[in-house]
Coordinates of all heavy atoms in Angstrom, one line a residue:
V319 N -17.0 -53.9 48.4 CA -17.6 -55.1 48.0 C -19.1 -55.1 48.2 O -19.6 -54.8 49.3 CB -17.0 -56.3 48.8 CG1 -17.7 -57.6 48.4 CG2 -15.5 -56.4 48.6
V320 N -19.9 -55.3 47.1 CA -21.3 -55.3 47.2 C -21.8 -56.7 47.6 O -21.4 -57.7 46.9 CB -21.9 -54.9 45.9 CG1 -23.5 -55.0 46.0 CG2 -21.5 -53.5 45.5
K321 N -22.5 -56.8 48.7 CA -23.0 -58.1 49.1 C -24.4 -58.3 48.5 O -25.3 -57.6 48.9 CB -23.0 -58.1 50.6 CG -22.8 -59.5 51.2 CD -22.4 -59.5 52.7 CE -23.5 -58.8 53.5 NZ -23.3 -59.0 55.0
M322 N -24.5 -59.3 47.7 CA -25.8 -59.6 47.1 C -26.7 -60.6 47.8 O -27.9 -60.7 47.6 CB -25.7 -60.0 45.6 CG -25.0 -59.0 44.7 SD -25.9 -57.4 44.7 CE -27.4 -57.8 43.8
A323 N -26.0 -61.4 48.7 CA -26.8 -62.4 49.5 C -27.7 -61.7 50.4 O -27.5 -60.6 50.9 CB -25.8 -63.2 50.3
A324 N -28.8 -62.4 50.7 CA -29.8 -61.8 51.6 C -29.2 -61.8 53.0 O -28.5 -62.7 53.4 CB -31.1 -62.7 51.6
P325 N -29.5 -60.8 53.8 CA -29.0 -60.7 55.2 C -29.5 -61.9 56.0 O -30.6 -62.3 55.9 CB -29.5 -59.4 55.7 CG -30.0 -58.7 54.5 CD -30.3 -59.7 53.4
N326 N -28.6 -62.4 56.9 CA -29.1 -63.4 57.8 C -29.9 -62.8 59.0 O -30.0 -61.5 59.0 CB -27.9 -64.2 58.3 CG -26.9 -63.5 59.2 OD1 -27.3 -62.5 59.9 ND2 -25.7 -63.9 59.1
M327 N -30.3 -63.6 59.9 CA -31.2 -63.1 61.0 C -30.5 -62.0 61.8 O -31.1 -61.0 62.1 CB -31.6 -64.3 61.9 CG -32.4 -63.9 63.1 SD -34.1 -63.7 62.7 CE -34.7 -65.4 63.1
E328 N -29.2 -62.3 62.2 CA -28.5 -61.3 63.0 C -28.4 -59.9 62.2 O -28.5 -58.9 62.8 CB -27.1 -61.8 63.3 CG -27.1 -62.9 64.3 CD -27.9 -62.6 65.6 OE1 -27.5 -61.5 66.2 OE2 -28.8 -63.3 66.0
E329 N -28.1 -60.0 60.9 CA -27.9 -58.8 60.1 C -29.2 -58.1 60.0 O -29.3 -56.8 60.1 CB -27.4 -59.2 58.7 CG -25.9 -59.6 58.8 CD -25.4 -60.2 57.5 OE1 -26.2 -60.8 56.8 OE2 -24.2 -60.1 57.2
R330 N -30.3 -58.8 59.8 CA -31.7 -58.2 59.7 C -32.0 -57.5 61.0 O -32.5 -56.4 61.0 CB -32.7 -59.2 59.4 CG -32.7 -59.7 58.0 CD -34.0 -60.4 57.6 NE -34.3 -61.5 58.4 CZ -33.9 -62.8 58.2 NH1 -33.1 -63.0 57.1 NH2 -34.2 -63.8 58.9
K331 N -31.7 -58.2 62.2 CA -32.0 -57.5 63.5 C -31.2 -56.3 63.7 O -31.7 -55.3 64.2 CB -31.7 -58.5 64.6 CG -32.8 -59.6 64.8 CD -32.5 -60.4 66.0 CE -33.5 -61.5 66.2 NZ -33.1 -62.5 67.1
A332 N -29.9 -56.3 63.3 CA -29.1 -55.1 63.4 C -29.6 -54.0 62.5 O -29.7 -52.8 63.0 CB -27.6 -55.5 63.0
C333 N -30.0 -54.3 61.3 CA -30.6 -53.3 60.4 C -31.9 -52.7 61.0 O -32.0 -51.5 61.1 CB -30.9 -54.0 59.1 SG -31.8 -52.9 57.9
W334 N -32.8 -53.6 61.4 CA -34.1 -53.1 61.9 C -33.9 -52.3 63.2 O -34.5 -51.3 63.4 CB -35.0 -54.2 62.1 CG -35.5 -54.9 60.8 CD1 -35.5 -54.3 59.6 CD2 -35.9 -56.2 60.7 NE1 -36.0 -55.2 58.7 CE2 -36.2 -56.4 59.3 CE3 -36.0 -57.3 61.6 CZ2 -36.6 -57.7 58.8 CZ3 -36.4 -58.5 61.0 CH2 -36.7 -58.7 59.7
G335 N -33.0 -52.7 64.0 CA -32.7 -51.9 65.3 C -32.1 -50.6 64.9 O -32.5 -49.6 65.5
A336 N -31.2 -50.5 64.0 CA -30.6 -49.2 63.6 C -31.7 -48.3 63.0 O -31.7 -47.1 63.2 CB -29.5 -49.4 62.6
R337 N -32.6 -48.9 62.2 CA -33.7 -48.1 61.6 C -34.6 -47.6 62.6 O -35.0 -46.4 62.6 CB -34.5 -49.0 60.6 CG -35.8 -48.4 60.1 CD -36.8 -49.4 59.7 NE -37.3 -50.2 60.8 CZ -38.0 -51.3 60.7 NH1 -38.4 -51.7 59.5 NH2 -38.4 -51.9 61.8
D338 N -35.0 -48.4 63.6 CA -35.9 -48.0 64.7 C -35.3 -46.8 65.5 O -35.9 -45.9 65.8 CB -36.2 -49.1 65.6 CG -37.1 -50.2 64.9 OD1 -37.6 -49.9 63.8 OD2 -37.3 -51.3 65.4
E339 N -34.0 -46.9 65.8 CA -33.3 -45.9 66.5 C -33.3 -44.6 65.8 O -33.5 -43.5 66.3 CB -31.8 -46.3 66.9 CG -31.7 -47.3 68.0 CD -30.3 -47.8 68.2 OE1 -29.4 -47.1 67.8 OE2 -30.1 -48.8 68.9
L340 N -33.0 -44.7 64.5 CA -33.0 -43.5 63.6 C -34.4 -42.9 63.6 O -34.5 -41.7 63.8 CB -32.5 -43.9 62.2 CG -32.7 -42.7 61.1 CD1 -31.8 -41.5 61.5 CD2 -32.3 -43.2 59.7
W341 N -35.4 -43.7 63.4 CA -36.7 -43.1 63.2 C -37.2 -42.5 64.6 O -37.8 -41.4 64.6 CB -37.7 -44.2 62.8 CG -37.6 -44.6 61.4 CD1 -36.6 -44.2 60.5 CD2 -38.5 -45.4 60.6 NE1 -36.8 -44.7 59.2 CE2 -38.0 -45.4 59.3 CE3 -39.7 -46.0 60.9 CZ2 -38.7 -46.1 58.3 CZ3 -40.4 -46.7 59.9 CH2 -39.8 -46.8 58.6
E342 N -36.8 -43.1 65.7 CA -37.2 -42.5 67.0 C -36.5 -41.2 67.2 O -37.1 -40.2 67.7 CB -36.8 -43.5 68.1 CG -37.8 -44.6 68.3 CD -37.3 -45.7 69.3 OE1 -36.4 -45.3 70.1 OE2 -37.7 -46.8 69.2
C343 N -35.2 -41.1 66.8 CA -34.5 -39.9 66.8 C -35.1 -38.8 66.0 O -35.3 -37.7 66.4 CB -33.0 -40.1 66.4 SG -32.0 -38.6 66.4
L344 N -35.5 -39.1 64.8 CA -36.2 -38.2 63.9 C -37.5 -37.7 64.5 O -37.8 -36.5 64.4 CB -36.4 -38.8 62.5 CG -35.1 -39.0 61.7 CD1 -35.3 -39.9 60.5 CD2 -34.4 -37.7 61.3
D345 N -38.2 -38.6 65.1 CA -39.5 -38.3 65.7 C -39.3 -37.3 66.8 O -40.0 -36.3 67.0 CB -40.2 -39.5 66.2 CG -40.8 -40.4 65.1 OD1 -41.0 -39.9 64.0 OD2 -41.1 -41.6 65.4
R346 N -38.3 -37.6 67.7 CA -38.0 -36.7 68.8 C -37.5 -35.3 68.4 O -37.7 -34.4 69.2 CB -36.9 -37.4 69.7 CG -37.4 -38.4 70.7 CD -36.4 -38.8 71.7 NE -35.0 -38.9 71.2 CZ -34.5 -40.1 70.8 NH1 -35.2 -41.2 70.8 NH2 -33.3 -40.1 70.3
N347 N -36.8 -35.3 67.3 CA -36.2 -34.0 66.9 C -36.9 -33.3 65.7 O -36.2 -32.6 64.9 CB -34.7 -34.3 66.5 CG -33.9 -34.6 67.8 OD1 -33.7 -33.8 68.6 ND2 -33.5 -35.9 67.9
S348 N -38.2 -33.6 65.5 CA -38.9 -33.0 64.4 C -38.3 -33.1 63.1 O -38.1 -32.2 62.3 CB -39.2 -31.5 64.7 OG -39.7 -31.3 66.0
E349 N -37.8 -34.3 62.8 CA -37.2 -34.7 61.5 C -35.9 -33.9 61.2 O -35.5 -33.8 60.1 CB -38.2 -34.4 60.3 CG -39.5 -35.2 60.4 CD -39.3 -36.7 60.4 OE1 -38.5 -37.2 59.7 OE2 -40.0 -37.3 61.3
D350 N -35.2 -33.4 62.3 CA -33.9 -32.7 62.1 C -32.8 -33.8 61.9 O -32.3 -34.3 62.8 CB -33.6 -31.9 63.3 CG -32.4 -31.0 63.1 OD1 -31.6 -31.3 62.2 OD2 -32.2 -30.1 63.9
A351 N -32.6 -34.0 60.6 CA -31.6 -35.1 60.2 C -30.2 -34.9 60.8 O -29.5 -35.8 61.1 CB -31.6 -35.2 58.7
A352 N -29.8 -33.6 60.9 CA -28.5 -33.3 61.4 C -28.3 -33.8 62.9 O -27.2 -34.3 63.2 CB -28.3 -31.8 61.4
K353 N -29.4 -33.8 63.7 CA -29.3 -34.3 65.0 C -29.2 -35.8 65.1 O -28.8 -36.4 66.1 CB -30.5 -33.8 65.9 CG -30.4 -32.3 66.1 CD -31.5 -31.9 67.1 CE -31.3 -30.5 67.5 NZ -32.6 -29.7 67.4
C354 N -29.5 -36.5 64.0 CA -29.6 -37.9 64.0 C -28.5 -38.5 63.0 O -28.6 -39.7 62.7 CB -31.0 -38.4 63.6 SG -32.3 -37.7 64.6
Q355 N -27.6 -37.7 62.6 CA -26.6 -38.1 61.6 C -25.9 -39.4 62.0 O -25.7 -40.3 61.1 CB -25.7 -37.0 61.3 CG -24.7 -37.3 60.1 CD -25.5 -37.5 58.7 OE1 -26.5 -37.0 58.5 NE2 -24.9 -38.3 57.9
H356 N -25.5 -39.5 63.2 CA -24.7 -40.7 63.7 C -25.6 -41.9 63.5 O -25.1 -43.0 63.2 CB -24.2 -40.5 65.1 CG -25.3 -40.3 66.1 ND1 -26.1 -39.2 66.1 CD2 -25.7 -41.1 67.1 CE1 -27.0 -39.4 67.1 NE2 -26.8 -40.5 67.8
L357 N -26.9 -41.8 63.8 CA -27.8 -43.0 63.7 C -28.0 -43.3 62.2 O -28.2 -44.4 61.8 CB -29.1 -42.7 64.4 CG -28.9 -42.6 65.9 CD1 -30.2 -42.1 66.6 CD2 -28.5 -43.9 66.5
R358 N -28.1 -42.2 61.4 CA -28.2 -42.4 59.9 C -27.0 -43.3 59.4 O -27.2 -44.2 58.6 CB -28.3 -41.1 59.3 CG -28.4 -41.1 57.8 CD -29.8 -41.4 57.3 NE -29.8 -41.9 56.0 CZ -30.9 -42.3 55.3 NH1 -32.1 -42.2 55.9 NH2 -30.8 -42.8 54.1
L359 N -25.8 -42.9 59.8 CA -24.7 -43.6 59.3 C -24.7 -45.1 59.8 O -24.3 -46.0 59.0 CB -23.4 -42.9 59.8 CG -23.2 -41.5 59.2 CD1 -22.0 -40.8 59.9 CD2 -23.0 -41.6 57.7
S360 N -25.1 -45.3 61.0 CA -25.2 -46.6 61.6 C -26.2 -47.4 60.8 O -26.0 -48.6 60.4 CB -25.6 -46.5 63.0 OG -25.9 -47.8 63.5
F361 N -27.4 -46.8 60.5 CA -28.4 -47.4 59.7 C -27.9 -47.8 58.3 O -28.1 -49.0 57.9 CB -29.6 -46.5 59.6 CG -30.7 -46.8 58.6 CD1 -31.4 -48.0 58.7 CD2 -31.0 -45.9 57.6 CE1 -32.4 -48.3 57.8 CE2 -32.0 -46.1 56.7 CZ -32.7 -47.4 56.8
E362 N -27.2 -46.9 57.7 CA -26.7 -47.2 56.3 C -25.7 -48.2 56.3 O -25.5 -49.0 55.4 CB -26.2 -45.9 55.7 CG -27.4 -44.9 55.3 CD -26.9 -43.6 54.7 OE1 -25.7 -43.4 54.5 OE2 -27.8 -42.8 54.3
S363 N -24.9 -48.3 57.4 CA -23.8 -49.3 57.4 C -24.3 -50.7 57.8 O -23.7 -51.7 57.4 CB -22.7 -48.9 58.4 OG -23.2 -49.0 59.7
R364 N -25.5 -50.8 58.4 CA -26.0 -52.1 58.9 C -27.0 -52.7 57.9 O -27.4 -53.8 58.1 CB -26.6 -51.9 60.2 CG -25.6 -51.7 61.3 CD -26.3 -51.7 62.7 NE -25.3 -51.5 63.7 CZ -25.6 -51.0 64.9 NH1 -26.8 -50.6 65.2 NH2 -24.6 -50.8 65.8
C365 N -27.5 -51.9 57.0 CA -28.6 -52.3 56.1 C -28.1 -52.4 54.6 O -27.4 -51.5 54.2 CB -29.8 -51.4 56.2 SG -30.6 -51.4 57.8
P366 N -28.6 -53.4 53.9 CA -28.3 -53.3 52.4 C -28.9 -52.1 51.8 O -29.9 -51.5 52.3 CB -29.1 -54.5 51.9 CG -29.4 -55.4 53.1 CD -29.4 -54.5 54.3
Q367 N -28.2 -51.6 50.8 CA -28.6 -50.3 50.2 C -30.1 -50.3 49.7 O -30.8 -49.3 49.9 CB -27.7 -49.9 49.0 CG -27.8 -48.5 48.6 CD -26.9 -48.1 47.5 OE1 -26.1 -48.9 47.0 NE2 -27.0 -46.9 47.0
Q368 N -30.5 -51.4 49.2 CA -31.9 -51.4 48.7 C -32.9 -51.2 49.9 O -34.0 -50.6 49.8 CB -32.3 -52.7 48.0 CG -31.7 -52.8 46.6 CD -30.8 -54.0 46.4 OE1 -30.0 -54.3 47.3 NE2 -31.0 -54.7 45.3
W369 N -32.5 -51.8 51.0 CA -33.4 -51.7 52.2 C -33.4 -50.2 52.7 O -34.4 -49.7 53.1 CB -32.8 -52.6 53.3 CG -33.0 -54.1 53.1 CD1 -33.2 -54.7 51.9 CD2 -33.2 -55.1 54.1 NE1 -33.3 -56.0 52.0 CE2 -33.3 -56.3 53.4 CE3 -33.1 -55.1 55.4 CZ2 -33.4 -57.5 54.1 CZ3 -33.2 -56.3 56.1 CH2 -33.4 -57.5 55.4
V370 N -32.2 -49.6 52.7 CA -32.2 -48.2 53.1 C -33.1 -47.4 52.2 O -33.9 -46.6 52.8 CB -30.7 -47.6 53.0 CG1 -30.7 -46.1 53.2 CG2 -29.8 -48.3 54.0
K371 N -33.1 -47.6 50.9 CA -34.0 -46.8 50.0 C -35.5 -47.2 50.3 O -36.3 -46.3 50.4 CB -33.7 -47.2 48.6 CG -32.5 -46.6 48.0 CD -32.3 -47.0 46.5 CE -30.9 -46.6 46.0 NZ -30.5 -47.3 44.8
Y372 N -35.7 -48.5 50.5 CA -37.1 -48.9 50.8 C -37.6 -48.2 52.1 O -38.7 -47.7 52.2 CB -37.2 -50.4 50.9 CG -38.5 -50.9 51.5 CD1 -39.6 -50.9 50.7 CD2 -38.6 -51.2 52.9 CE1 -40.9 -51.3 51.2 CE2 -39.8 -51.6 53.4 CZ -40.9 -51.7 52.6 OH -42.2 -52.0 53.1
F373 N -36.8 -48.3 53.2 CA -37.2 -47.8 54.5 C -37.4 -46.2 54.4 O -38.3 -45.7 55.1 CB -36.3 -48.2 55.6 CG -36.4 -49.6 56.0 CD1 -35.2 -50.4 56.3 CD2 -37.6 -50.2 56.2 CE1 -35.3 -51.7 56.6 CE2 -37.7 -51.6 56.6 CZ -36.6 -52.3 56.8
D374 N -36.5 -45.6 53.7 CA -36.7 -44.1 53.5 C -38.0 -43.8 52.8 O -38.8 -42.9 53.3 CB -35.6 -43.5 52.7 CG -34.3 -43.4 53.5 OD1 -34.3 -43.6 54.7 OD2 -33.2 -43.2 52.8
K375 N -38.4 -44.5 51.8 CA -39.7 -44.3 51.1 C -40.8 -44.7 52.1 O -41.8 -44.0 52.1 CB -39.8 -45.2 49.9 CG -39.0 -44.7 48.7 CD -39.3 -45.5 47.5 CE -38.4 -45.1 46.3 NZ -38.0 -46.3 45.5
R376 N -40.6 -45.8 52.8 CA -41.7 -46.2 53.7 C -41.9 -45.1 54.8 O -43.1 -44.8 55.1 CB -41.2 -47.5 54.4 CG -42.1 -48.0 55.4 CD -43.0 -49.1 54.9 NE -44.0 -49.6 55.9 CZ -45.3 -49.6 55.7 NH1 -45.8 -49.2 54.6 NH2 -46.1 -49.9 56.7
R377 N -40.9 -44.5 55.3 CA -41.0 -43.5 56.3 C -41.8 -42.3 55.7 O -42.7 -41.7 56.4 CB -39.7 -43.1 56.9 CG -39.8 -42.0 58.0 CD -38.6 -41.8 58.8 NE -38.8 -40.7 59.8 CZ -39.4 -40.8 60.9 NH1 -39.8 -42.0 61.3 NH2 -39.5 -39.8 61.7
D378 N -41.4 -41.9 54.5 CA -42.1 -40.8 53.9 C -43.6 -41.1 53.7 O -44.4 -40.2 54.0 CB -41.5 -40.5 52.5 CG -40.1 -39.8 52.6 OD1 -39.8 -39.3 53.7 OD2 -39.4 -39.8 51.6
Y379 N -43.9 -42.3 53.3 CA -45.2 -42.7 53.1 C -46.0 -42.7 54.5 O -47.1 -42.2 54.5 CB -45.3 -44.1 52.5 CG -46.7 -44.7 52.6 CD1 -47.7 -44.3 51.8 CD2 -47.0 -45.7 53.6 CE1 -49.0 -44.8 51.9 CE2 -48.3 -46.2 53.7 CZ -49.3 -45.8 52.8 OH -50.5 -46.3 53.0
L380 N -45.4 -43.2 55.5 CA -46.1 -43.3 56.8 C -46.3 -41.8 57.4 O -47.3 -41.6 58.0 CB -45.2 -44.1 57.8 CG -45.2 -45.6 57.5 CD1 -44.2 -46.3 58.4 CD2 -46.5 -46.2 57.6
K381 N -45.3 -40.9 57.2 CA -45.5 -39.6 57.6 C -46.6 -38.9 56.8 O -47.5 -38.2 57.4 CB -44.2 -38.7 57.4 CG -43.1 -39.0 58.4 CD -42.0 -38.0 58.3 CE -41.5 -37.9 56.9 NZ -40.2 -37.3 56.8
Y382 N -46.7 -39.1 55.5 CA -47.7 -38.6 54.7 C -49.1 -39.1 55.1 O -50.0 -38.3 55.3 CB -47.4 -39.0 53.2 CG -48.5 -38.6 52.2 CD1 -48.7 -37.3 51.9 CD2 -49.3 -39.6 51.6 CE1 -49.7 -36.9 51.0 CE2 -50.3 -39.2 50.7 CZ -50.5 -37.9 50.4 OH -51.5 -37.5 49.5
K383 N -49.2 -40.4 55.4 CA -50.4 -41.0 55.8 C -50.9 -40.4 57.1 O -52.1 -40.1 57.3 CB -50.2 -42.5 55.9 CG -51.5 -43.3 56.1 CD -51.1 -44.8 56.1 CE -52.3 -45.6 56.6 NZ -52.0 -46.6 57.5
K384 N -50.0 -40.3 58.0 CA -50.3 -39.7 59.4 C -50.8 -38.3 59.2 O -51.7 -37.9 59.9 CB -49.0 -39.8 60.3 CG -49.3 -39.5 61.7 CD -48.0 -39.7 62.5 CE -48.4 -39.8 64.0 NZ -47.2 -40.2 64.8
K385 N -50.1 -37.5 58.4 CA -50.5 -36.1 58.1 C -52.0 -36.1 57.6 O -52.8 -35.3 58.1 CB -49.6 -35.5 57.1 CG -49.8 -34.0 56.8 CD -48.8 -33.5 55.9 CE -49.0 -32.0 55.6 NZ -49.4 -31.8 54.2
L386 N -52.3 -36.9 56.7 CA -53.6 -37.0 56.2 C -54.6 -37.3 57.3 O -55.7 -36.7 57.4 CB -53.8 -38.0 55.0 CG -53.1 -37.7 53.7 CD1 -53.3 -38.8 52.7 CD2 -53.6 -36.4 53.1
E387 N -54.3 -38.3 58.1 CA -55.2 -38.7 59.2 C -55.4 -37.6 60.2 O -56.5 -37.4 60.6 CB -54.6 -40.0 59.9 CG -54.8 -41.2 59.0 CD -54.0 -42.4 59.5 OE1 -53.3 -42.3 60.5 OE2 -54.1 -43.5 58.9
N388 N -54.3 -36.9 60.5 CA -54.3 -35.8 61.5 C -55.2 -34.7 60.9 O -55.8 -33.9 61.7 CB -52.9 -35.4 61.9 CG -52.2 -36.4 62.7 OD1 -52.8 -37.3 63.3 ND2 -50.9 -36.2 62.8
E389 N -55.1 -34.5 59.6 CA -55.9 -33.4 59.1 C -57.3 -33.8 58.7 O -58.0 -33.0 58.0 CB -55.1 -32.8 57.9 CG -53.8 -32.1 58.4 CD -52.9 -31.7 57.2 OE1 -53.3 -31.8 56.1 OE2 -51.8 -31.3 57.6
G390 N -57.7 -35.0 59.0 CA -59.1 -35.4 58.8 C -59.4 -36.0 57.5 O -60.6 -36.2 57.2
Y391 N -58.5 -36.2 56.6 CA -58.8 -36.8 55.4 C -58.2 -38.2 55.4 O -57.0 -38.4 55.6 CB -58.2 -36.0 54.2 CG -58.3 -36.7 52.9 CD1 -59.5 -36.8 52.1 CD2 -57.2 -37.4 52.4 CE1 -59.5 -37.5 51.0 CE2 -57.2 -38.1 51.2 CZ -58.4 -38.1 50.5 OH -58.5 -38.8 49.3
S392 N -59.0 -39.2 55.0 CA -58.4 -40.5 54.9 C -58.8 -41.1 53.5 O -59.9 -40.9 53.0 CB -58.9 -41.5 56.0 OG -60.3 -41.6 55.9
P393 N -57.8 -41.7 52.8 CA -58.0 -42.2 51.5 C -59.1 -43.2 51.5 O -59.3 -43.9 52.5 CB -56.7 -42.9 51.1 CG -55.7 -42.4 52.1 CD -56.5 -41.9 53.3
P394 N -59.9 -43.4 50.4 CA -61.0 -44.3 50.3 C -60.7 -45.7 50.7 O -61.5 -46.4 51.4 CB -61.5 -44.2 48.9 CG -60.9 -42.9 48.3 CD -59.7 -42.6 49.2
E395 N -59.5 -46.2 50.4 CA -59.2 -47.6 50.6 C -59.1 -47.9 52.1 O -59.1 -49.1 52.5 CB -58.0 -48.1 49.8 CG -56.7 -47.5 50.3 CD -56.3 -46.3 49.4 OE1 -57.2 -45.7 48.9 OE2 -55.1 -46.0 49.4
T396 N -58.9 -46.9 52.9 CA -58.7 -47.2 54.4 C -60.0 -47.0 55.1 O -60.1 -47.2 56.3 CB -57.6 -46.3 55.0 OG1 -58.0 -45.0 54.9 CG2 -56.3 -46.6 54.4
T397 N -61.1 -46.5 54.4 CA -62.4 -46.2 55.1 C -62.9 -47.5 55.7 O -62.9 -48.5 55.0 CB -63.3 -45.6 54.1 OG1 -62.8 -44.5 53.5 CG2 -64.7 -45.2 54.7
G398 N -63.4 -47.4 56.9 CA -64.0 -48.6 57.6 C -63.0 -49.5 58.2 O -63.5 -50.4 58.9
K399 N -61.8 -49.3 58.0 CA -60.8 -50.2 58.6 C -60.1 -49.4 59.8 O -59.9 -48.2 59.7 CB -59.7 -50.6 57.7 CG -60.2 -51.6 56.6 CD -59.1 -52.0 55.7 CE -59.6 -52.7 54.5 NZ -58.7 -52.7 53.4
S400 N -59.8 -50.1 60.8 CA -59.1 -49.5 61.9 C -57.6 -49.5 61.8 O -57.1 -50.3 61.1 CB -59.5 -50.1 63.3 OG -59.1 -51.4 63.3

């Protein structure tokens, strides 16, 4: 059954908590998804599918941005902002 209704507060908290645990696991394990598979499944089961896709893209974006910052290049739109 596909649930189209927006998640309530408890569901959102469960989703975000699962996402944070997964991301922390990936950070600790140098992005080794195999080591975090149980958290991945928890994340996918607690979050609407569109959110899973969004958060995956968001993580890729944040990693890319961090890589640029670490390598000394920052995009023009972030210049001058902390």
Side-chain angles (χ1 to χ4, degrees):
V319 179
V320 177
K321 209 163 58 166
M322 295 307 288
N326 67 29
M327 177 83 95
E328 290 304 308
E329 290 167 332
R330 285 196 302 272
K331 281 185 182 165
C333 171
W334 294 332
R337 174 204 61 192
D338 292 346
E339 285 177 19
L340 173 62
W341 285 13
E342 283 171 22
C343 179
L344 291 169
D345 288 342
R346 279 195 314 273
N347 292 289
S348 308
E349 301 301 316
D350 185 346
K353 290 190 172 128
C354 306
Q355 187 60 30
H356 62 295
L357 293 171
R358 176 82 202 176
L359 295 172
S360 172
F361 168 58
E362 289 180 357
S363 72
R364 290 185 180 155
C365 299
Q367 194 179 358
Q368 282 123 317
W369 289 26
V370 170
K371 285 182 191 160
Y372 168 79
F373 286 138
D374 285 346
K375 281 188 190 141
R376 177 99 184 124
R377 181 164 176 84
D378 286 343
Y379 166 75
L380 292 172
K381 282 191 310 198
Y382 174 71
K383 188 173 170 229
K384 190 173 194 172
K385 182 175 179 250
L386 289 180
E387 286 167 0
N388 290 344
E389 291 172 6
Y391 170 79
S392 58
E395 69 266 23
T396 62
T397 304
K399 293 180 189 161
S400 59

